[in-house]
Amino acid sequence: MGKTVLTQRKGAGSVYTLHGHKRLGPARLRIRDYSERHGFVRGTVKTIEHEAGRGAPLARVEFRDPYKYKRVKELFIAPEGLFTGQSIVCGKNAPLAVGNVLPIGSVPEGCIVCNVEEKPGDRGALARASGDHCIVVSHKPELGYTYVKLPSGNTKNCLLYTSDAADEEDSVDLGGRRIIKKKKKKREDIVQDRAKGNNS
């Protein structure tokens, strides 16, 4: 007969199907509302979970809705040092502590951060992988930028939070540094180690 074309194979499924039932959902920072822009919002870490295909653990954080009588659950990337039951503060007036989310303009220089917004409102785009972190290099208030050193070693400028442009803040998740990170080995090294009896 004839050859089965690729579109027919994709329609049948098998290797072309997405195993999405193992995904927990998108890991993003909170949407900035009035209370976060002008004060702070407090949440509690309910659980820390593992997602298939992702190296970094995820934290389910529960916030009280500022407008309605209900609770809102968000899925954050958990930095190192975060634990169940911990109180997380998000907003302009949040203190500098592991797990807190605050504008990058109010983070002091030399501080280690993760899950940094590249553009205002993108809810976290830089340094999201397991063990990744950015370092705040310098602030340029006259230009409206903060320079951040990325995990690759390059520097990138992120928009500062300014009082006259309140919607242009970049939120960051503090922490995220992992001191010991297991290095990936080549396939030959793994085979040799197993032959020697080193199953690490």
Side-chain angles (χ1 to χ4, degrees):
M1 303 290 283
K3 180 187 173 186
T4 307
V5 290
L6 191 60
T7 50
Q8 290 173 336
R9 290 185 61 204
K10 284 185 177 179
S14 73
V15 294
Y16 296 103
T17 56
L18 174 70
H19 303 290
H21 65 281
K22 298 178 183 177
R23 300 284 168 91
L24 301 177
R28 298 179 295 191
L29 298 172
R30 277 185 88 245
I31 295 175
R32 289 190 314 273
D33 50 4
Y34 181 86
S35 55
E36 196 170 326
R37 286 197 303 266
H38 299 283
F40 64 89
V41 179
R42 193 179 300 274
T44 308
V45 179
K46 291 298 178 184
T47 57
I48 294 177
E49 301 173 9
H50 170 72
E51 186 180 40
R54 188 192 289 268
L58 297 179
R60 285 206 187 275
V61 186
E62 191 176 85
F63 294 94
R64 189 175 286 165
D65 193 286
Y67 305 111
K68 295 181 180 178
Y69 183 71
K70 64 177 183 178
R71 297 190 181 267
V72 181
K73 287 186 180 177
E74 298 284 347
L75 200 62
F76 283 9
I77 293 175
E80 189 174 8
L82 198 75
F83 56 90
T84 307
Q86 180 179 346
S87 182
I88 285 183
V89 182
C90 302
K92 180 184 169 187
N93 298 334
L96 199 66
V98 173
N100 286 358
V101 180
L102 60 151
I104 199 165
S106 58
V107 177
E109 296 174 0
C111 191
I112 293 170
V113 295
C114 71
N115 202 10
V116 183
E117 284 189 343
E118 189 174 3
K119 298 184 179 103
D122 68 3
R123 300 174 75 180
L126 305 174
R128 292 166 54 92
S130 173
D132 274 359
H133 62 276
C134 292
I135 300 171
V136 178
V137 178
S138 64
H139 298 294
K140 302 284 184 190
E142 62 277 358
L143 300 175
Y145 285 110
T146 293
Y147 288 97
V148 175
K149 186 178 180 185
L150 299 177
S152 62
N154 297 338
T155 55
K156 189 169 189 68
N157 47 7
C158 300
L159 282 173
L160 263 177
Y161 167 80
T162 54
S163 57
D164 51 0
D167 289 326
E168 294 187 353
E169 73 179 51
D170 274 17
S171 299
V172 294
D173 196 359
L174 295 174
R177 186 177 185 186
R178 194 167 59 177
I179 307 299
I180 301 169
K181 190 171 181 181
K182 190 173 180 181
K183 293 182 180 177
K184 293 183 179 177
K185 296 182 176 181
K186 293 186 293 186
R187 185 67 193 160
E188 304 90 54
D189 296 341
I190 294 171
V191 171
Q192 285 177 359
D193 282 351
R194 283 187 184 158
K196 292 176 187 174
N198 301 331
N199 294 330
S200 58

